[in-house]
Amino acid sequence: MIWNVYLSGEIHTDWRQRIIDGAEQQGLSIVFHSANTDHDASDAAGDVLRENESGFWRDHQSSKVNAIRTSTLIKQCDIGVVRFGDKYRQWNAAFDAGMLAALGKPFITLHDDSLIHPLKEVDGAAMAWAETPEQVVELLKYVTSK
Amino acid sequence: MIWNVYLSGEIHTDWRQRIIDGAEQQGLSIVFHSANTDHDASDAAGDVLRENESGFWRDHQSSKVNAIRTSTLIKQCDIGVVRFGDKYRQWNAAFDAGMLAALGKPFITLHDDSLIHPLKEVDGAAMAWAETPEQVVELLKYVTSK
Amino acid sequence: MIWNVYLSGEIHTDWRQRIIDGAEQQGLSIVFHSANTDHDASDAAGDVLRENESGFWRDHQSSKVNAIRTSTLIKQCDIGVVRFGDKYRQWNAAFDAGMLAALGKPFITLHDDSLIHPLKEVDGAAMAWAETPEQVVELLKYVTSK
Amino acid sequence: MIWNVYLSGEIHTDWRQRIIDGAEQQGLSIVFHSANTDHDASDAAGDVLRENESGFWRDHQSSKVNAIRTSTLIKQCDIGVVRFGDKYRQWNAAFDAGMLAALGKPFITLHDDSLIHPLKEVDGAAMAWAETPEQVVELLKYVTSK
Amino acid sequence: MIWNVYLSGEIHTDWRQRIIDGAEQQGLSIVFHSANTDHDASDAAGDVLRENESGFWRDHQSSKVNAIRTSTLIKQCDIGVVRFGDKYRQWNAAFDAGMLAALGKPFITLHDDSLIHPLKEVDGAAMAWAETPEQVVELLKYVTSK
Amino acid sequence: MIWNVYLSGEIHTDWRQRIIDGAEQQGLSIVFHSANTDHDASDAAGDVLRENESGFWRDHQSSKVNAIRTSTLIKQCDIGVVRFGDKYRQWNAAFDAGMLAALGKPFITLHDDSLIHPLKEVDGAAMAWAETPEQVVELLKYVTSK
Amino acid sequence: MIWNVYLSGEIHTDWRQRIIDGAEQQGLSIVFHSANTDHDASDAAGDVLRENESGFWRDHQSSKVNAIRTSTLIKQCDIGVVRFGDKYRQWNAAFDAGMLAALGKPFITLHDDSLIHPLKEVDGAAMAWAETPEQVVELLKYVTSK
Amino acid sequence: MIWNVYLSGEIHTDWRQRIIDGAEQQGLSIVFHSANTDHDASDAAGDVLRENESGFWRDHQSSKVNAIRTSTLIKQCDIGVVRFGDKYRQWNAAFDAGMLAALGKPFITLHDDSLIHPLKEVDGAAMAWAETPEQVVELLKYVTSK
């Protein structure tokens, strides 16, 4: 069995790559998926369509194009990993976690212990809270191994 | 028909009361639901159970007790209103929005235009973005009137 | 048992009223629901929110506000009646029919025989094709009577 | 991951081929599906069964045979593209869009700006509105690329 | 709690009335539902619509009108009772049983022991096999009592 | 795309083989599935478990073993074909048709015109009524061809 | 809003009554449901049907009659409370917990701390672990209060 | 077609291996899945995360990590086999059976006849009760063979 793992959240550190590399080194049977992690490209996802004077509608147009990808990948994943960093609002990560929870998909959160209290509702719905990408790899190894 | 509206998010201003009062003044056929909005009581929701030395597990225990209430009310509502203020992380509001989206429940966001960009994914899944509680009342009046 | 019947489509003739009146005269145990049938009010449903220079986004904003109402009522109805007149595009009526079909809700189409061929896919998914509101009342009487 | 894209709607111009060719040139990992786009063959889909004097029942018989194919492909697709031209009623395209919406499948509409107002409900449920097949290819490239 | 019980099948004996009377005598909190049990009226359910030369299409038209009622009541019931007599094909009863099974609704079969072997698949999916209406009343009393 | 077609019903004539052979000759991309069509083996499906004095429980035990296979295949098929012959009760065929209908799976019935009236409810839920296996092959060819 | 709470498990102590009494004293808006808690009556639930020589089939017959009640009440409840005592196998309680989990219903477990380790999988899926009926009442008060 | 079979329950005897070996000898088209059957590793599944002084929370942390694996495999299996031995509480096996039942997955129980009475609710929801692994192999051979 090949497991589909969706990596959601913060795009400013190398956590995705460390998980992907770790899984590869361990030879895990996992395919990883993500939203487009290029911030500028993501903001411009809808710009191929009509131009908008309003910032709200430009964002709206792009976020819906991005959602074609993300909602599909979330619905098809087996496991989610949701990362919260110490900067920015990251409401999209919490939004993805809410989708995962409502769809009955197990997910792992990844964040420092300084974020325990503000993330308590998200952690309450998660199957595990990890503090490092290496812990996530260990969990994925345990969960997906024969 | 009586409509069930779930009010999610920020608990430091009177936005809930203004929506509830406005709906009452208009005679709308709506019952409003919310999480427990008393911050300290919410943090202590699980304290009736065993005591925990670890802050993580105390939060975990309480957040799951709170989720018995919130997940049930979200699954049973017809419409969600999700409010984001200018302070705090408010990841639980975005988490609720993700649940509403995955469950196919229409929801309205309520926030200032300073939050347009960080909320673009949430707004992209919403049916309307309002800037004042009074606009929300107008929308609810339009939507629920005979 | 009270039956919920959703009336979708054309708003320029009195077909809704004739069905509602007929059901009342027969004493049927039915509550009827509809989209807002005031054309101008429907087009302006989102105008309470921000103003839009672009016609596309004004329409978008209003149609999503209308959809809060219509998608909820369609999901909660027991039976749909979808009316096609001889004017206008009426794509929203066909769109509602597609939703009803995908949700497994039985629906009745109401249209002249001049529209048989272009409506063949919609009629193929319907449980009955009626040509007059009075036939619809007869069907509803048969279906909902003890 | 191979994406399944369902192409619905107008059959009189080469929009399907332009999307398929564009996707192939870009090397996208997409399989395209459609209803039978041969108009006469589609109208005759049920003629292998019994002959019907009534035009209504001949259409009915054929449209249900066609629906075996289309409803299956719509339920199994990841993304829909729904095209509206400037001629004919095209209620089947709007019907497909309604099915896609109710099934929670993201879809893109493709039409000229002259159709913005009559299509506002369909566009309101869509994730993007494109005006050319080339824009659709760009969106699909963005959405499906690694 | 009021229980909804759907009575499906044979219409030539008084089994429905005996169950309904028995439940009333026991004061059970049950509302009973059925298809139209008037054979001629049921065959003519669609005759208010267009006339059909073909027997197949007349039957088709009527059976779909009947299905508006029956499929709705089956989807909303808590328990089904499916009766097979010793005459006629009664494929509609077995069809209803298949719907109940696929919808996860518990159902009771009611038939003589001469039908055990041909009904083994239906009985295999049922929660109980009763031989008399009085046994059904006893089961309903047990199941629905406080 | 490979289509899964479930063949349900009568086991005394060669209709299954004629459909399978016809599909092979046409090179259709279809995998066919069926219940165990060996009547004695099917009746004995549960005999590997404990012996039963009661005919009812022997049948029960076997029919549930058979249902492990049939319910799984029905839930996973794309299209059903349900055959009714002129002998026996064949309630299992009608039961399978009810499951297909409730699961939203399109199905084709296959029977002589002498059975039109008793099968009207089943035909009403079907997407096509065929009278010969060769017609079924034609329909499958039309539906599944690129 | 009236909350439906399903009380599952051990029938040898007064835990159900203590919860029901506590909820009444607090004036909670809750209706409680249970399986038949009379052990002998439950074992005999199917005896109104045919007599069985085999103990297995007598149990089978009765447990399916009981399941008509329990599966319906579990599917309709908002919250489950699952009690494990220190005697007997109580596999039915764990089975109910599995159903609640798969249906996405929040549930509370009630057991002594001596059972923590053998119940870890059940507790892992629960929203809270209580040790006394009074704690359950406190949780229900918190969860269901306005 | 490849069938996915989930083996749940007791880990102290060689029943899993006997089923797997038997299926291989018969050349059955089955892939088997299980929870981690190493008792100590399973108890320590969450230890890679933070250390816990409380036994309850250590168990909680591990059981949720295990559930990432087991809930996914249960949701994706075609058939479950649930084994109860004569020692230990084995509530997790009954919990898995409840999940299988609620998800509509057919399952086979495997246990001695000494456990008939305490397992009557679980057996009542199962499709077969086997007493030896060899019987399970025979059932799987029958069910999955072409």
Side-chain angles (χ1 to χ4, degrees):
Chain A
M1 175 178 171
I2 294 171
W3 295 70
N4 289 286
V5 174
Y6 187 77
L7 304 173
S8 168
E10 181 248 309
I11 57 174
H12 303 286
T13 64
D14 62 350
W15 69 276
R16 275 185 181 78
Q17 201 54 49
R18 283 162 67 188
I19 291 176
I20 294 169
D21 290 349
E24 195 175 332
Q25 285 162 20
Q26 303 272 6
L28 306 187
S29 182
I30 297 178
V31 177
F32 291 96
H33 304 276
S34 282
N36 188 325
T37 56
D38 177 328
H39 191 274
D40 291 340
S42 172
D43 280 0
D47 288 355
V48 66
L49 304 174
R50 96 214 55 82
E51 206 169 336
N52 296 287
E53 297 185 17
S54 150
F56 177 77
W57 292 119
R58 188 206 174 208
D59 276 347
H60 199 74
Q61 194 168 261
S62 286
S63 75
K64 292 182 85 164
V65 171
N66 279 303
I68 300 176
R69 175 182 179 87
T70 55
S71 70
T72 302
L73 294 174
I74 287 174
K75 282 178 195 163
Q76 295 183 351
C77 78
D78 300 305
I79 303 173
V81 178
V82 188
R83 161 75 181 157
F84 293 87
D86 54 2
K87 284 190 287 193
Y88 308 105
R89 304 279 189 160
Q90 306 176 83
W91 283 319
N92 59 325
F95 182 79
D96 286 355
M99 287 194 66
L100 289 161
L103 294 168
K105 307 276 184 184
F107 65 94
I108 299 164
T109 56
L110 173 60
H111 60 82
D112 291 347
D113 66 1
S114 62
L115 298 182
I116 285 177
H117 194 63
L119 278 171
K120 65 182 182 300
E121 286 86 4
V122 179
D123 282 340
M127 300 306 274
W129 160 48
E131 292 170 82
T132 68
E134 286 67 36
Q135 286 177 322
V136 174
V137 173
E138 284 306 299
L139 293 177
L140 293 176
K141 180 184 175 187
Y142 178 84
V143 164
T144 65
S145 294
K146 176 84 189 167
Chain B
M1 174 177 172
I2 294 172
W3 295 70
N4 289 286
V5 174
Y6 187 77
L7 304 173
S8 168
E10 181 247 306
I11 58 174
H12 302 285
T13 65
D14 64 348
W15 69 276
R16 275 186 181 77
Q17 201 55 49
R18 284 162 67 187
I19 290 176
I20 293 169
D21 290 350
E24 195 176 331
Q25 284 163 21
Q26 302 273 5
L28 306 187
S29 181
I30 296 177
V31 177
F32 292 96
H33 304 275
S34 282
N36 187 325
T37 57
D38 178 327
H39 191 274
D40 291 339
S42 172
D43 281 0
D47 288 355
V48 67
L49 305 174
R50 91 213 60 80
E51 206 170 334
N52 296 288
E53 295 185 19
S54 149
F56 177 77
W57 291 119
R58 186 206 174 208
D59 275 347
H60 199 74
Q61 195 168 262
S62 285
S63 76
K64 292 182 86 164
V65 170
N66 278 303
I68 300 176
R69 175 182 179 88
T70 55
S71 70
T72 302
L73 294 175
I74 286 174
K75 282 178 194 162
Q76 295 183 352
C77 78
D78 299 306
I79 302 172
V81 178
V82 188
R83 161 75 181 157
F84 293 87
D86 53 3
K87 282 189 291 194
Y88 308 104
R89 304 279 188 158
Q90 306 176 81
W91 283 320
N92 59 323
F95 181 81
D96 285 356
M99 286 193 67
L100 289 161
L103 295 168
K105 307 275 183 183
F107 65 94
I108 299 164
T109 56
L110 172 61
H111 60 82
D112 290 349
D113 66 0
S114 62
L115 298 181
I116 285 178
H117 194 63
L119 278 171
K120 64 183 183 299
E121 287 86 3
V122 179
D123 282 341
M127 301 305 277
W129 160 48
E131 293 170 83
T132 66
E134 288 65 39
Q135 285 177 323
V136 174
V137 173
E138 284 307 299
L139 292 177
L140 292 176
K141 180 184 175 187
Y142 178 84
V143 164
T144 65
S145 293
K146 177 81 193 169
Chain C
M1 174 176 171
I2 294 172
W3 294 71
N4 289 286
V5 174
Y6 187 76
L7 304 174
S8 168
E10 181 248 307
I11 58 173
H12 302 287
T13 64
D14 63 349
W15 69 275
R16 275 186 182 79
Q17 201 54 48
R18 283 162 67 188
I19 290 176
I20 294 169
D21 290 350
E24 195 174 333
Q25 284 162 22
Q26 302 273 6
L28 305 188
S29 181
I30 296 177
V31 178
F32 291 97
H33 304 276
S34 281
N36 188 325
T37 56
D38 177 328
H39 191 274
D40 291 340
S42 172
D43 280 0
D47 287 356
V48 66
L49 305 173
R50 94 213 58 81
E51 206 170 335
N52 296 289
E53 295 185 20
S54 148
F56 177 78
W57 291 119
R58 187 206 173 208
D59 275 347
H60 198 75
Q61 194 168 262
S62 285
S63 76
K64 291 182 87 165
V65 170
N66 279 303
I68 300 176
R69 176 182 179 87
T70 56
S71 71
T72 302
L73 294 174
I74 287 173
K75 282 178 195 162
Q76 295 184 352
C77 78
D78 299 305
I79 302 172
V81 179
V82 188
R83 161 74 182 157
F84 293 88
D86 54 3
K87 283 190 290 195
Y88 308 105
R89 304 279 188 159
Q90 306 176 82
W91 283 319
N92 59 324
F95 181 80
D96 285 355
M99 287 193 66
L100 289 161
L103 295 168
K105 306 276 184 184
F107 65 94
I108 299 163
T109 56
L110 173 59
H111 61 83
D112 291 348
D113 66 1
S114 62
L115 299 181
I116 285 177
H117 194 64
L119 278 172
K120 65 182 183 298
E121 287 87 3
V122 179
D123 283 340
M127 300 306 276
W129 160 46
E131 293 170 82
T132 67
E134 287 66 37
Q135 287 177 321
V136 174
V137 173
E138 284 306 301
L139 292 177
L140 292 177
K141 180 184 175 188
Y142 178 84
V143 164
T144 66
S145 293
K146 174 84 191 166
Chain D
M1 174 177 172
I2 295 171
W3 295 71
N4 288 286
V5 174
Y6 186 76
L7 304 174
S8 168
E10 180 249 307
I11 56 172
H12 302 286
T13 65
D14 62 351
W15 69 275
R16 274 184 182 79
Q17 201 54 49
R18 283 162 66 187
I19 291 176
I20 293 169
D21 290 349
E24 195 175 334
Q25 285 162 21
Q26 303 273 5
L28 306 187
S29 181
I30 296 177
V31 177
F32 291 97
H33 303 276
S34 282
N36 188 325
T37 56
D38 177 329
H39 191 273
D40 291 340
S42 171
D43 280 0
D47 288 355
V48 65
L49 305 174
R50 96 213 57 80
E51 207 170 334
N52 296 288
E53 296 185 18
S54 149
F56 177 77
W57 291 120
R58 186 206 175 209
D59 275 348
H60 198 75
Q61 195 168 262
S62 285
S63 75
K64 292 182 86 163
V65 170
N66 278 304
I68 299 177
R69 175 182 179 87
T70 56
S71 70
T72 302
L73 294 175
I74 287 173
K75 282 179 194 162
Q76 295 184 352
C77 78
D78 299 306
I79 302 172
V81 178
V82 189
R83 161 73 182 159
F84 293 87
D86 54 3
K87 283 190 290 195
Y88 308 106
R89 303 278 188 160
Q90 306 176 81
W91 283 319
N92 59 326
F95 182 80
D96 285 355
M99 286 193 67
L100 289 161
L103 295 168
K105 307 276 184 184
F107 65 94
I108 299 164
T109 56
L110 173 60
H111 60 83
D112 291 348
D113 67 0
S114 62
L115 299 181
I116 285 177
H117 194 64
L119 277 171
K120 65 182 183 299
E121 287 88 2
V122 179
D123 282 340
M127 300 306 275
W129 160 47
E131 293 170 81
T132 68
E134 287 66 36
Q135 286 177 321
V136 174
V137 173
E138 284 306 301
L139 292 177
L140 292 176
K141 180 184 176 187
Y142 178 84
V143 164
T144 66
S145 294
K146 175 85 190 170
Chain E
M1 174 176 171
I2 295 171
W3 294 71
N4 289 286
V5 174
Y6 187 76
L7 303 173
S8 168
E10 180 248 307
I11 58 174
H12 301 287
T13 64
D14 63 350
W15 69 276
R16 275 185 181 78
Q17 202 54 48
R18 283 162 67 188
I19 291 175
I20 294 169
D21 289 350
E24 195 175 331
Q25 284 162 20
Q26 303 272 7
L28 306 187
S29 182
I30 297 178
V31 177
F32 291 97
H33 304 276
S34 282
N36 188 326
T37 56
D38 177 328
H39 191 274
D40 291 340
S42 172
D43 280 0
D47 287 355
V48 65
L49 305 174
R50 94 213 57 81
E51 207 171 334
N52 296 288
E53 297 185 18
S54 149
F56 178 76
W57 292 119
R58 188 207 173 207
D59 275 347
H60 198 75
Q61 195 167 264
S62 285
S63 75
K64 292 182 87 164
V65 170
N66 279 304
I68 300 176
R69 176 183 179 87
T70 56
S71 70
T72 303
L73 294 175
I74 286 174
K75 282 178 195 162
Q76 295 183 353
C77 78
D78 299 306
I79 302 173
V81 179
V82 188
R83 161 75 182 156
F84 293 87
D86 54 2
K87 283 190 289 193
Y88 309 105
R89 305 277 190 162
Q90 305 176 83
W91 283 320
N92 59 324
F95 181 80
D96 286 356
M99 287 192 67
L100 289 162
L103 295 167
K105 307 275 184 184
F107 65 95
I108 299 164
T109 56
L110 173 60
H111 60 82
D112 291 348
D113 66 1
S114 61
L115 299 181
I116 285 177
H117 194 63
L119 277 172
K120 65 182 183 298
E121 287 87 3
V122 179
D123 282 340
M127 300 306 276
W129 160 47
E131 293 170 83
T132 67
E134 287 66 37
Q135 285 177 322
V136 174
V137 174
E138 284 306 300
L139 293 177
L140 293 176
K141 181 184 175 188
Y142 178 84
V143 164
T144 65
S145 293
K146 176 81 190 169
Chain F
M1 175 178 171
I2 294 171
W3 295 70
N4 289 285
V5 174
Y6 186 76
L7 304 174
S8 168
E10 181 248 306
I11 57 174
H12 301 286
T13 65
D14 63 350
W15 69 276
R16 275 186 182 77
Q17 202 54 49
R18 283 162 67 187
I19 290 175
I20 294 170
D21 290 350
E24 195 176 332
Q25 284 162 21
Q26 302 274 5
L28 305 188
S29 181
I30 297 178
V31 177
F32 291 96
H33 303 276
S34 282
N36 188 324
T37 57
D38 177 326
H39 191 273
D40 291 340
S42 172
D43 280 0
D47 288 355
V48 65
L49 305 174
R50 94 214 58 80
E51 206 169 334
N52 296 287
E53 296 185 18
S54 149
F56 178 77
W57 291 119
R58 188 207 172 206
D59 275 348
H60 199 74
Q61 194 168 264
S62 285
S63 75
K64 292 181 85 162
V65 171
N66 279 303
I68 300 176
R69 176 181 178 88
T70 55
S71 70
T72 302
L73 294 175
I74 286 174
K75 282 178 193 161
Q76 295 182 352
C77 79
D78 300 306
I79 302 173
V81 178
V82 189
R83 161 75 181 158
F84 293 87
D86 54 3
K87 282 189 291 193
Y88 308 104
R89 303 279 188 159
Q90 307 176 80
W91 282 320
N92 60 324
F95 182 80
D96 285 356
M99 286 193 66
L100 289 161
L103 294 167
K105 307 275 182 182
F107 65 95
I108 299 163
T109 56
L110 172 61
H111 61 82
D112 291 348
D113 67 1
S114 61
L115 299 181
I116 285 178
H117 195 63
L119 277 172
K120 65 183 183 300
E121 286 87 3
V122 178
D123 282 341
M127 301 306 276
W129 159 48
E131 293 170 82
T132 67
E134 287 65 38
Q135 285 176 323
V136 174
V137 173
E138 283 307 300
L139 292 177
L140 292 176
K141 180 184 176 187
Y142 178 85
V143 164
T144 66
S145 293
K146 176 84 191 170
Chain G
M1 174 177 172
I2 294 172
W3 295 70
N4 289 286
V5 174
Y6 187 75
L7 304 173
S8 168
E10 181 247 307
I11 58 174
H12 302 286
T13 64
D14 63 349
W15 69 275
R16 276 186 180 77
Q17 202 54 47
R18 283 161 68 188
I19 291 176
I20 293 169
D21 290 350
E24 195 175 332
Q25 284 162 22
Q26 302 273 6
L28 305 187
S29 182
I30 296 178
V31 177
F32 292 96
H33 304 275
S34 282
N36 189 325
T37 56
D38 177 328
H39 191 272
D40 290 340
S42 172
D43 280 0
D47 288 355
V48 66
L49 304 174
R50 95 212 57 81
E51 206 171 335
N52 297 288
E53 297 184 18
S54 148
F56 178 77
W57 292 119
R58 188 206 173 207
D59 275 347
H60 199 74
Q61 195 168 262
S62 285
S63 76
K64 293 181 85 163
V65 170
N66 278 304
I68 300 176
R69 175 183 179 88
T70 56
S71 71
T72 302
L73 294 175
I74 286 173
K75 282 179 194 162
Q76 294 183 353
C77 78
D78 299 306
I79 302 173
V81 178
V82 188
R83 161 76 181 157
F84 293 87
D86 53 4
K87 283 189 289 192
Y88 308 105
R89 304 278 188 161
Q90 306 178 79
W91 282 320
N92 59 325
F95 181 80
D96 286 356
M99 288 193 66
L100 289 161
L103 295 167
K105 306 277 183 182
F107 65 95
I108 299 163
T109 56
L110 173 60
H111 60 82
D112 290 347
D113 65 1
S114 61
L115 299 181
I116 285 178
H117 194 63
L119 278 171
K120 65 183 184 298
E121 287 86 3
V122 179
D123 282 340
M127 302 306 275
W129 160 47
E131 293 170 82
T132 66
E134 287 66 37
Q135 285 177 323
V136 174
V137 174
E138 283 306 299
L139 292 177
L140 293 176
K141 180 183 175 188
Y142 178 84
V143 164
T144 65
S145 293
K146 175 83 193 169
Chain H
M1 175 178 172
I2 294 171
W3 295 70
N4 290 287
V5 173
Y6 187 76
L7 303 174
S8 168
E10 181 248 307
I11 57 175
H12 302 286
T13 65
D14 63 350
W15 69 276
R16 276 185 180 78
Q17 202 54 47
R18 283 161 66 187
I19 291 176
I20 293 170
D21 290 349
E24 196 175 332
Q25 284 162 20
Q26 303 273 6
L28 305 188
S29 182
I30 297 178
V31 177
F32 291 96
H33 304 275
S34 283
N36 188 324
T37 56
D38 177 328
H39 192 272
D40 290 339
S42 173
D43 280 1
D47 288 356
V48 66
L49 305 174
R50 93 214 58 79
E51 206 170 335
N52 296 288
E53 296 185 19
S54 149
F56 177 78
W57 290 119
R58 188 206 173 206
D59 275 347
H60 198 75
Q61 195 168 262
S62 285
S63 75
K64 293 182 85 163
V65 171
N66 279 302
I68 299 176
R69 175 181 178 88
T70 56
S71 71
T72 302
L73 294 175
I74 286 174
K75 282 179 194 162
Q76 294 182 353
C77 78
D78 299 305
I79 302 174
V81 178
V82 188
R83 160 75 182 158
F84 293 87
D86 53 3
K87 282 189 289 191
Y88 307 105
R89 304 278 188 159
Q90 306 176 80
W91 283 320
N92 59 325
F95 182 80
D96 286 356
M99 287 193 66
L100 289 161
L103 295 167
K105 306 277 183 182
F107 65 95
I108 299 163
T109 56
L110 172 61
H111 61 82
D112 291 347
D113 66 1
S114 61
L115 299 181
I116 285 178
H117 194 63
L119 278 171
K120 65 183 183 298
E121 287 86 4
V122 179
D123 282 340
M127 301 306 275
W129 160 47
E131 292 170 82
T132 67
E134 287 65 38
Q135 286 176 323
V136 174
V137 174
E138 283 306 300
L139 292 177
L140 292 177
K141 180 183 175 188
Y142 178 85
V143 164
T144 66
S145 293
K146 177 81 192 171

